[in-house]
Amino acid sequence: MEVRVPSMELHRSPPFLSGGRGKFFLHKPFLVQAKRLEGLEKANKRSRGTQSSEEVKKRAPLTRGTVSPPLPVPGHITQPPYVGKKDTPEIASEIQMHDKVSIVHMKAACELAARVLEHAGTLVKPSVTTDEIDKAVHKMIIDAGAYPSPLGYGGFPKSVCTSVNECMCHGIPDSRELQDGDIINIDVTVYLNGYHGDTSKTFLCGEVDDASKRLVRVTEECMLRAISACKHGNNGPGQMVEGQTFTIEPILSMGSIECDMWDDGWTAVTTDGSLAAQFEHTILITKTGAEILTKC
């Protein structure tokens, strides 16, 4: 199982990150390095066993559907500063810190993002389109008085990212219907009171084969193990400091570690068409370790 290691920037994704007030962090291209992790292979042996080629369900390559126009946002909802601008923001050079007040706002944004993602997951069923998921996510976010962060970020046309099967990230919702056996990552980011909350999860659609289930399970395990390693003491360059927030979001592929970008400029798919899964949480560094903010 191949592991795609996301950027080591403190913030990321859909490329609209969990960040603080008025701070935006570009994460494009998203790939910094990729490698096979032998430790993960060993950790997964207990549930893997012998895998035959027939275990992976054959599926047609992902095709794009029709992308509907962007959904409107009521005028009273505060928009991020990048909305209406063609270019994406530059990477912020400073480390962003939070005080007690801003942490309250971050937690509110992250809690909303978590609830929206949970609702979006209930919609994942065969014959449902990713455009329908986008509409539901959009409505729930604006009904809460927040702005869907992806919408208008560097020209991104929708309110959520939906990455199906071999799509690694930044899939644009469209008219394609989900198929029985698909897997889909839904990446939700909301902008509430000047703060972004960011989270994603890979969901199973209908009857999914064992190999795909294993990919999803191990990807989530990778995220949780990475979060458990976040604390003050570390031997690498830089350090984690109490009051920082950032996202942890591993992407794992069942095959190639290379990706191709569709001509829409966003959709990144595995070169060999192998399935990919992703999970993401926004975390806060505390005195004792890390607190997951994007939990319901």
Side-chain angles (χ1 to χ4, degrees):
M1 187 173 292
E2 299 294 344
V3 179
R4 300 191 69 91
V5 182
S7 168
M8 297 309 293
E9 297 295 333
L10 287 184
H11 295 270
R12 187 247 166 259
S13 192
F16 345 89
L17 335 194
S18 61
R21 192 173 187 86
K23 303 296 183 181
F24 306 97
F25 302 80
L26 174 63
H27 183 90
K28 189 178 179 185
F30 66 93
L31 179 63
V32 169
Q33 61 176 324
K35 60 185 177 181
R36 182 179 297 274
L37 296 184
E38 294 181 358
L40 176 60
E41 287 291 297
K42 294 177 182 178
N44 195 36
K45 278 183 179 179
R46 61 182 181 272
S47 62
R48 177 170 54 190
T50 302
Q51 179 176 327
S52 67
S53 59
E54 291 79 14
E55 187 180 349
V56 180
K57 182 178 180 180
K58 292 183 178 180
R59 53 172 58 81
L62 182 65
T63 57
R64 71 188 73 192
T66 301
V67 178
S68 61
L71 296 170
V73 177
H76 70 275
I77 292 178
T78 302
Q79 300 182 352
Y82 54 74
V83 174
K85 298 179 181 179
K86 183 178 180 180
D87 296 329
T88 51
E90 295 295 327
I91 297 175
S93 58
E94 73 276 11
I95 294 176
Q96 192 169 10
M97 301 297 298
H98 292 283
D99 56 23
K100 292 182 179 180
V101 174
S102 62
I103 287 175
V104 170
H105 289 304
M106 274 296 297
K107 287 185 174 182
C110 289
E111 191 273 337
L112 173 60
R115 286 194 289 111
V116 172
L117 180 61
E118 183 178 55
H119 175 65
T122 67
L123 306 177
V124 175
K125 298 174 184 177
S127 79
V128 172
T129 68
T130 50
D131 191 61
E132 290 175 294
I133 294 174
D134 178 76
K135 289 178 180 177
V137 166
H138 182 89
K139 185 179 187 304
M140 187 171 178
I141 292 173
I142 64 172
D143 283 352
Y147 185 91
S149 301
L151 185 61
Y153 183 97
F156 193 83
K158 307 300 283 182
S159 299
V160 69
C161 291
T162 52
S163 302
V164 179
N165 294 340
E166 66 264 36
C167 181
M168 303 185 69
C169 63
H170 304 164
I172 299 175
D174 60 25
S175 62
R176 179 191 180 275
E177 294 184 351
L178 293 175
Q179 306 296 312
D180 187 60
D182 282 349
I183 63 173
I184 174 175
N185 176 269
I186 301 177
D187 198 336
V188 172
T189 313
V190 306
Y191 184 68
L192 180 65
N193 296 322
Y195 292 80
H196 293 274
D198 187 4
T199 184
S200 84
K201 180 178 181 178
T202 298
F203 297 92
L204 309 178
C205 181
E207 294 297 322
V208 176
D209 60 63
D210 289 342
S212 301
K213 290 179 181 177
R214 183 180 307 115
L215 171 69
V216 173
R217 182 174 63 250
V218 174
T219 306
E220 183 174 25
E221 181 183 352
C222 286
M223 176 190 65
L224 295 174
R225 288 191 180 194
I227 292 172
S228 68
C230 293
K231 60 188 70 175
H232 297 297
N234 52 84
N235 297 321
Q239 64 180 17
M240 298 179 187
V241 180
E242 182 182 358
Q244 286 181 317
T245 57
F246 52 92
T247 62
I248 299 289
E249 47 185 333
I251 302 174
L252 274 65
S253 164
M254 292 180 69
S256 174
I257 62 172
E258 302 299 328
C259 69
D260 296 323
M261 186 75 71
W262 283 4
D263 60 13
D264 58 26
W266 291 100
T267 307
V269 297
T270 56
T271 300
D272 63 355
S274 59
L275 292 187
Q278 179 183 12
F279 280 79
E280 176 184 17
H281 270 314
T282 299
I283 68 172
L284 167 69
I285 299 300
T286 68
K287 289 182 179 179
T288 58
E291 177 184 354
I292 298 175
L293 301 184
T294 40
K295 277 186 174 181
C296 291

